């Protein structure tokens, strides 16, 4: 019998007719079909987006038509209902906003402390940031969630979401679609704009229908569905910067925890956001968390048109595993079990090729004498894994069993104190602890390398969001390497019950104990500070010695000379490579100290190379004429007094992963003025570059970028080109005495973005207005 397809992507325009999706036409032959008949306006996504447009901003960009026409060429200028940041990002955001004229928070802004809360690197600096956060919440009228009380997204789910709302977060996994809320993760600059009552400006996005049918079988959890979805949607940027709209009869079979377990992982498809139909299950959720008024029914409308279709057959989903080092490298656990030697060999070869011999990963020793793949660590954590139902069913699997006293260990982090209270009251924590599991507080550390770093050359299985190289905390420069594979909590529990031998939860017998999450928010009321609407300007900000301001950045001159300080030919460069996570996150409030880690795990020589170029620019501003620069400018007949000098990064496709703005700001602190690539992996990274004054150049994918670190690129008339909206910009590459022409592109900049880039950064842009 032919095997059913679990997830299928169809690049075809799709309409809702009689409550079902019908293919209208092949997308490539009908690129405007959804626009021409206004069918896209009938989607849930567009109804929410239109409700959040700011009428006063309609004419802010003269390159686009009046937004009231809802033309496909119109910028959407959006205001959000709430904001959320964690302790890696909020200090920099608030400091930037203060420098730009902040007086008070105009919307609820939650400052959570879930990233730098268990790692003790740097002495007092993490707690200094937390003290700053509470003082800022009091001063400007914000919400402060103390350390380890909730991960950022769980607090937002329980306290900020609402059907038809929009939330902007400075974390890439800002996804609340199954609660009826459009959540978008962006860099800090975009939150600064909201704090200053400006707008979030985007081109009208395409919408992809995700149609769910069937019911997951026993042993299948949300991560299994999510990984199958990512595997199908991530390749070829199929849903990049689009909104995924979930509908279909299969949704009714899914609990809220199951839905959010899928939803939060949509970030790994590189989509812009997600939204789901809502039903009585969602209504019951809002009743449970004490906010029934925040529910309203959202449903697909007859005639709604979508730009593509993702069909998900929940019946056919199997227990999944995402191999190192990306969530899209997913396969069934049974596939891995059938060919372990080949698959593990490919995974370690990919890693070793990427590390260029600096250290070697060895996974083959994880195949035991029975031919089984084994591992030494399991972690169930954070906004994806730390949900009540996942933990509850994991306890059912491990009931009366032991994980043993060997190398394998298992840690579980509930995503909030209300969930911790519930698993304690319901006996779940006791069952898990009796089996040898460690229960830890709400913390995001294992997701980004600040907790549960595995031993060298260890394979770890995690129900977490990402498994990028070195994101688990290893340092290849120190001879260390480890690997993370993503799995659902149920299969992790089954593996734990099997002594660390990889086991699909669908392959074991266990009894599910019927339980229901009963939310108790009393701990929030007792410990969290909610000062929205009550700012107190007399409060003094608490400033620890590591909390420093931004260095001065300068406007873009008429001409630009940039030095290629790093050239990366990997297919994708993640934000974890641009600025490593883990212990470096403790320095997020010190821009200069943090910049020393830029590309340290990928191109360690980049920092010194970029600082050298920064010194040349400093000398130029002091009126000196550095010989190296004058030699280049003599070749191209440039004027040093009108030429900005900076460093530049080339990567094929940079910016996959986190929303952290430091991936761009650190380049800027080091003197970076431009990036060149074939495409940006995410909108949020490109936005970060723009907000920090880094010119986001692209080149044609047909262009062979054969230039080397140390080569120079001269761009005459760059300031006027940006302000004029020129999208094709001629430049010259100088390699020794050889000069070649190159064509750079800088497309789709709004008037505001043009001004930010030429002013030098977002801070300068707002300071000039003040």
């Amino acid at each position: 019998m032919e095997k059913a397809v679990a997830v299928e992507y169809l690049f075809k325009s799709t309409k809702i007719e009689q409550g079902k999706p019908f293919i209208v036409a092949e997308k490539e032959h009908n690129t405007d079909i959804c626009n021409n008949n206004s069918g896209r306006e009938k989607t849930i996504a567009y109804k929410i987006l239109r409700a959040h447009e700011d009428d006063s901003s309609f004419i802010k960009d003269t390159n686009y038509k009046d937004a009231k026409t809802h033309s496909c060429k119109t910028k959407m200028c959006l205001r959000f209902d709430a904001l959320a940041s964690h302790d890696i990002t909020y200090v920099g955001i608030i400091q930037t906003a203060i420098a730009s004229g902040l007086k008070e928070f105009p919307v609820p802004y939650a400052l959570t402390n879930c990233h730098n809360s268990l790692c003790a690197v740097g002495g007092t600096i993490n707690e200094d940031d937390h003290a700053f956060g509470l003082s800022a919440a009091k001063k400007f009228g914000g919400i402060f969630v103390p350390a380890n009380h909730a991960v950022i997204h769980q607090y937002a789910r329980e306290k900020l979401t609402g059907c038809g709302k929009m939330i902007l977060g400075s974390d890439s996994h800002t996804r609340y679609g199954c609660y009826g809320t459009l959540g978008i993760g962006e860099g800090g600059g975009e939150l600064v704009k909201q704090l200053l009552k400006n707008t979030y400006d985007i081109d009208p996005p395409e919408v992809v229908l995700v149609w769910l049918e069937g019911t997951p079988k026993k042993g299948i959890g949300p991560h299994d569905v999510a990984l199958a979805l990512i595997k199908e949607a991530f390749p070829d940027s199929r849903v990049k910067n689009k909104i995924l709209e979930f509908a279909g009869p299969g949704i009714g079979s899914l609990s809220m925890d199951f839905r959010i377990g899928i939803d939060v992982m949509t970030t790994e498809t590189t989509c812009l956001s997600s939204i789901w139909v809502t039903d009585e299950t969602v209504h019951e959720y809002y009743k449970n968390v004490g906010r029934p008024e925040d529910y309203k029914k959202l449903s697909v409308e007859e005639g709604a048109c979508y730009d593509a279709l993702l069909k998900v057959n929940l019946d056919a989903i199997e227990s999944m595993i995402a191999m190192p080092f990306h969530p899209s490298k997913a396969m069934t656990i049974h596939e891995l079990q059938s060919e372990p030697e080949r698959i593990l060999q490919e995974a370690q070869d990919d890693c070793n090729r990427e590390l260029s011999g600096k250290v070697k990963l060895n996974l083959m020793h994880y195949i035991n004498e029975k031919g089984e793949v084994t591992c030494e660590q399991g972690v169930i954590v954070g906004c994806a894994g730390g949900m009540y139902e996942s933990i509850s069913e994991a306890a059912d699997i491990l009931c009366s069993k032991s994980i043993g006293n060997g190398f394998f260990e298992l840690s579980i982090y509930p995503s909030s104190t209300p969930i911790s209270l519930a698993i304690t009251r319901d006996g779940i924590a006791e069952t898990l602890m009796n089996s040898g599991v460690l229960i830890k507080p709400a913390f995001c550390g294992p997701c980004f390398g600040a907790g549960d770093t595995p031993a060298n050359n260890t394979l770890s299985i995690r129900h977490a969001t990402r498994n990028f190289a070195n994101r688990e905390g290893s340092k290849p420069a120190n001879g260390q390497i480890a690997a993370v594979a993503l799995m659902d909590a149920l299969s992790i529990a089954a593996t734990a019950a099997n002594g660390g031998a990889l086991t699909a939860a669908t392959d074991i017998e266990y009894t599910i104990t019927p339980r229901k999450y009963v939310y108790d928010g009393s701990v929030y009321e007792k410990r969290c500070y909610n000062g929205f609407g009550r700012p107190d300007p007399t409060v003094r900000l608490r400033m620890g010695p590591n909390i420093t301001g931004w260095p001065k950045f300068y406007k873009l001159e008429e001409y630009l000379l940039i030095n290629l300080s790093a050239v990366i030919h990997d297919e994708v460069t993640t934000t974890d490579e641009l600025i490593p996570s883990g212990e470096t996150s403790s320095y997020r409030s010190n821009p200069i100290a943090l910049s020393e880690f830029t590309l340290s795990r990928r191109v360690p020589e980049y920092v010194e190379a970029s600082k050298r170029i920064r010194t040349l620019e400093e000398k130029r501003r002091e009126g000196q004429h550095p010989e190296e620069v004058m030699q280049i400018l003599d070749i191209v007949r440039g004027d040093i007094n009108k030429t900005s000098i900076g460093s530049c990064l080339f990567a094929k496709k940079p910016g996959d992963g986190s929303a952290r703005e430091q991936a761009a700001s650190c380049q800027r602190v080091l003197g970076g003025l431009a990036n060149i690539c074939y495409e940006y992996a995410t909108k949020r990274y490109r936005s970060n570059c723009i907000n920090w004054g880094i010119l986001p150049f692209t080149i044609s994918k047909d262009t062979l970028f054969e230039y080397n670190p140390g080569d120079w690129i001269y761009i005459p008339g760059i300031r006027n080109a940006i302000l004029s909206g020129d999208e094709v910009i001629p430049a010259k590459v100088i390699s020794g005495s050889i000069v070649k022409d190159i064509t750079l592109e800088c497309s789709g900049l709004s008037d505001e973005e043009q001004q930010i880039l030429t002013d030098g950064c977002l801070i300068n842009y707002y300071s000039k207005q003040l």
Side-chain angles (χ1 to χ4, degrees):
M1 187 172 71
E2 188 175 342
K3 188 177 180 181
V5 176
V7 183
E8 182 181 13
Y9 176 80
L10 300 171
F11 190 58
K12 300 176 180 181
S13 298
T14 303
K15 257 191 177 183
I16 296 296
E17 296 180 5
Q18 299 178 352
K20 297 180 180 180
F22 285 88
I23 303 298
V24 178
E26 294 287 346
K27 178 69 165 59
E28 55 263 41
H29 299 138
N30 295 273
T31 54
D32 294 323
I33 191 166
C34 288
N35 261 340
N36 291 342
N37 61 15
S38 301
R40 199 183 283 150
E41 298 291 334
K42 296 181 179 180
T43 63
I44 300 172
Y46 265 68
K47 290 176 183 177
I48 294 176
L49 289 170
R50 296 301 185 193
H52 287 79
E53 283 186 312
D54 177 12
D55 290 1
S56 65
S57 300
F58 277 161
I59 316 298
K60 67 185 294 182
D61 188 339
T62 55
N63 289 327
Y64 293 88
K65 298 178 183 178
D66 184 340
K68 292 176 183 177
T69 66
H70 289 176
S71 161
C72 66
K73 293 184 178 180
T74 302
K75 285 281 186 184
M76 284 185 164
C77 305
L78 306 171
R79 293 192 187 276
F80 290 79
D81 298 295
L83 309 174
S85 293
H86 49 62
D87 48 348
I88 280 182
T89 56
Y90 66 61
V91 176
I93 290 169
I94 294 170
Q95 284 189 294
T96 302
I98 291 171
S100 304
L102 175 70
K103 300 301 181 186
E104 64 179 73
F105 296 155
V107 295
Y109 184 20
L111 312 178
T112 68
N113 296 277
C114 51
H115 280 58
N116 288 342
S117 50
L118 284 181
C119 46
V121 174
T124 69
I125 60 180
N126 290 333
E127 285 307 314
D128 291 343
D129 284 356
H130 300 165
F132 173 92
L134 179 55
S135 65
K138 291 178 177 290
K139 186 177 185 68
F140 299 113
I143 301 164
F144 182 81
V145 183
N148 305 123
H149 277 261
V151 302
I152 175 175
H153 303 306
Q154 187 61 17
Y155 184 84
R157 296 161 187 168
E158 293 172 341
K159 301 294 287 184
L160 300 178
T161 54
C163 296
K165 289 185 177 182
M166 291 189 69
I167 295 177
L168 183 67
S170 55
D171 185 274
S172 58
H173 292 100
T174 305
R175 291 287 186 272
Y176 315 121
C178 65
Y179 302 103
T181 302
L182 268 176
I184 297 178
E186 276 285 0
E190 295 303 323
L191 275 78
V192 170
K193 293 177 183 177
Q194 293 291 307
L195 291 174
L196 299 176
K197 300 181 181 179
N198 209 328
T199 56
Y200 177 72
D201 303 342
I202 57 171
D203 292 324
E206 293 188 0
V207 185
V208 176
L209 177 62
V210 185
W211 188 259
L212 276 65
E213 295 181 337
T215 303
K217 53 181 171 277
K218 182 182 175 183
I220 294 298
H223 229 37
D224 297 316
V225 180
L227 294 177
L229 184 68
I230 294 164
K231 178 183 181 181
E232 184 68 16
F234 178 79
D236 305 319
S237 302
R238 288 173 174 173
V239 299
K240 176 181 171 183
N241 296 334
K242 302 174 185 179
I243 295 178
L244 303 185
E245 185 157 311
F246 287 75
I251 289 179
S253 67
L254 305 180
S255 66
M256 285 309 300
D257 276 7
F258 205 112
R259 297 180 197 190
I260 192 57
I262 300 171
D263 192 38
V264 71
M265 291 297 292
T266 60
T267 295
E268 304 312 320
T269 69
T270 69
C271 70
L272 177 70
S273 187
S274 61
I275 192 69
W276 295 50
V277 298
T278 60
D279 55 17
E280 193 56 31
T281 300
V282 183
H283 195 188
E284 287 299 319
Y285 172 83
Y286 281 113
K287 290 178 183 177
N288 186 33
V289 298
R291 298 187 288 116
E293 69 280 1
D294 282 319
Y295 172 77
K296 69 177 180 180
K297 188 173 180 59
L298 304 176
S299 56
V300 294
E301 182 180 339
E302 189 75 8
C305 188
Y306 300 88
D307 298 275
L309 174 64
L310 267 165
K311 296 178 69 175
V312 180
N313 180 3
L314 296 170
D315 292 328
I317 299 291
E318 298 185 43
S319 296
M320 302 291 291
I321 182 170
M323 299 300 292
F325 288 105
H326 199 277
S328 65
K329 293 188 175 183
M331 63 186 67
T332 69
I333 293 176
H334 291 158
E335 287 178 89
L336 175 57
Q337 290 170 331
S338 67
E339 293 187 275
E341 292 87 358
R342 178 186 64 80
I343 293 170
L344 292 183
Q345 185 71 50
E346 288 178 355
Q348 70 180 33
D349 287 351
D350 287 346
C351 171
N352 295 335
R353 185 164 45 249
E354 181 177 320
L355 294 171
S356 304
K358 295 173 185 174
V359 64
K360 290 220 177 270
L361 175 67
N362 177 15
L363 295 176
M364 303 306 290
H365 67 283
Y366 279 109
I367 303 175
N368 66 18
E369 62 280 358
K370 299 178 183 178
E372 301 170 320
V373 177
T374 63
C375 60
E376 292 188 5
Q377 185 193 58
V379 182
I380 298 170
V381 64
C383 57
M387 303 302 291
Y388 177 87
E389 289 181 5
S390 291
I391 299 171
S392 173
E393 196 163 339
D396 290 334
I397 292 170
L398 283 166
C399 184
S400 301
K401 297 181 178 66
S402 170
I403 68 171
N405 59 4
F407 283 104
F408 182 84
E409 59 181 357
L410 175 58
S411 299
I412 295 179
Y413 295 78
S415 60
S416 70
T417 42
I419 292 178
S420 292
L421 278 172
I423 68 168
T424 301
R425 289 171 176 166
D426 295 346
I428 297 167
E430 180 182 6
T431 297
L432 289 166
M433 293 173 73
N434 278 333
S435 70
V437 175
L438 285 174
I439 307 294
K440 300 182 180 181
F443 182 44
C444 298
C447 284
F448 69 97
D452 286 311
T453 301
N456 182 55
N457 248 318
T458 294
L459 177 62
S460 173
I461 55 173
R462 303 187 176 192
H463 190 152
T465 53
R466 292 196 174 115
N467 61 336
F468 296 166
N470 318 127
R471 190 177 169 95
E472 82 298 323
S474 64
K475 298 179 181 180
N478 293 354
Q480 307 166 2
I481 190 63
V484 169
L486 301 182
M487 287 169 51
D488 189 83
L490 305 187
S491 290
I492 292 174
T495 297
N498 201 15
L502 286 190
T503 305
T506 52
D507 290 345
I508 63 170
E509 290 293 329
Y510 66 99
T511 301
I512 299 175
T513 303
R515 300 185 182 101
K516 181 181 179 181
Y517 173 45
V518 178
Y519 170 80
D520 181 352
S522 60
V523 67
Y524 286 158
E525 309 308 319
K526 292 170 183 172
R527 283 295 296 136
C528 299
Y529 175 79
N530 189 344
F532 175 64
R534 303 189 309 278
D536 183 354
T538 67
V539 172
R540 178 181 61 87
L541 290 175
R542 295 271 296 270
M543 304 289 289
N546 186 63
I547 299 176
T548 64
W550 295 103
K552 184 173 178 59
F553 301 116
Y554 296 92
K555 69 178 179 69
L556 182 66
E557 301 284 4
E558 293 183 33
Y559 313 118
L560 178 62
L561 179 65
I562 49 178
N563 183 269
L564 286 171
S565 297
V567 176
I568 303 174
H569 288 289
D570 298 344
E571 292 305 314
V572 177
T573 303
T574 69
T575 48
D576 282 274
E577 293 172 295
L578 293 167
I579 183 65
S581 54
E583 86 285 357
T584 61
S585 65
S586 292
Y587 298 95
R588 287 300 200 272
S589 303
N590 188 328
I592 294 174
L594 181 64
S595 69
E596 296 288 332
F597 294 95
T598 309
L599 280 169
S600 59
R601 296 181 187 170
R602 183 62 188 86
V603 187
E605 59 273 19
Y606 169 81
V607 170
E608 290 307 315
S610 193
K611 286 164 68 174
R612 187 182 72 81
I613 303 304
R614 184 182 65 187
T615 300
L616 296 177
E617 170 66 357
E618 291 168 351
K619 289 180 178 180
R620 184 194 74 83
R621 291 191 171 280
E622 293 169 357
Q624 301 180 43
H625 292 178
E627 182 179 352
E628 180 180 3
V629 174
M630 294 306 299
Q631 289 176 351
I632 300 299
L633 292 180
D634 285 345
I635 294 174
V636 295
R637 299 180 182 180
D639 182 348
I640 191 170
N641 297 311
K642 298 179 180 180
T643 303
S644 293
I645 303 169
S647 56
C648 176
L649 163 72
F650 171 82
K652 286 186 176 181
K653 188 177 180 181
D656 187 24
S658 171
R660 65 178 72 115
E661 64 177 298
Q662 292 89 354
S665 66
C666 284
Q667 295 175 56
R668 188 69 169 98
V669 168
L670 291 170
L673 291 180
N675 281 342
I676 300 174
C677 65
Y678 293 128
E679 66 172 305
Y680 290 89
T682 58
K683 175 201 172 296
R684 53 184 175 268
Y685 174 66
R686 184 177 184 272
S687 294
N688 287 338
C689 291
I690 293 169
N691 286 329
W692 284 107
I694 296 175
L695 291 157
F697 292 128
T698 58
I699 58 175
S700 169
K701 291 183 179 180
D702 297 329
T703 302
L704 177 63
F705 196 88
E706 53 188 353
Y707 308 108
N708 300 307
D711 289 348
W712 292 88
I713 299 178
Y714 177 68
I715 311 169
I718 184 61
R719 183 179 181 86
N720 183 64
I722 295 298
L723 290 174
S724 300
D726 296 345
E727 297 192 346
V728 178
I729 300 173
K732 294 184 181 297
V733 180
I734 303 96
S735 181
S737 59
I738 300 173
V739 180
K740 294 182 179 180
D741 291 329
I742 188 173
T743 300
L744 304 176
E745 298 176 10
C746 194
S747 60
L749 296 176
S750 67
D751 285 354
E752 183 181 59
E753 289 173 331
Q754 293 167 10
Q755 200 64 56
I756 290 169
L757 286 168
T758 51
D759 285 345
C761 66
L762 187 67
I763 296 175
N764 292 358
Y765 171 74
Y766 280 123
S767 297
K768 188 174 71 173
Q769 293 177 2
L770 289 173

